[in-house]
Amino acid sequence: KGGAKYTDTALSLLREMEDEGIQPDVISYNSAISACEKGGAKYTETALELLREMKDEGIQPNDYSYNSAISACKEGGAKYTDTA
């Protein structure tokens, strides 16, 4: 599917930022989580992992972060466990 292709691209770009020494911010993470939402059920866990990663990196998720993650859960039926 085309959505999955673009999701993979978005996730690759996020990791490339990190590899280049660029600290992703809330907008970067939100874009990646939103891409997971649009990629379908296959990316539900990835969206939740990104939300956890944000917190681990000291980046405060905002309304958009949570809304995108919730929408991704709707697609895949995953459960979120906040370990922080």
Side-chain angles (χ1 to χ4, degrees), residues 59-73:
I59 300 168
Q60 181 63 43
N62 60 20
D63 292 347
Y64 190 85
S65 312
Y66 285 106
N67 287 337
S68 294
I70 289 167
S71 292
C73 288

Side-chain angles (χ1 to χ4, degrees), residues 2-17 31-32 35-36 43:
K5 175 183 173 186
Y6 294 116
T7 301
D8 289 336
T9 301
L11 295 171
S12 292
L13 286 170
L14 182 70
R15 297 307 172 212
E16 186 176 323
M17 286 178 69
S31 296
C36 290
Y43 294 96

Side-chain angles (χ1 to χ4, degrees), residues 19-63:
D19 292 345
E20 294 295 324
I22 301 168
Q23 176 64 42
D25 61 11
V26 68
I27 295 169
S28 306
Y29 276 103
N30 285 352
S31 296
I33 293 169
S34 180
C36 290
E37 168 196 358
K38 291 169 180 58
K42 172 182 172 184
Y43 294 96
T44 300
E45 287 299 325
T46 304
L48 296 176
E49 288 169 14
L50 289 170
L51 192 63
R52 286 185 204 98
E53 185 178 308
M54 287 177 76
K55 290 177 164 186
D56 291 345
E57 294 295 322
I59 300 168
Q60 181 63 43
N62 60 20
D63 292 347

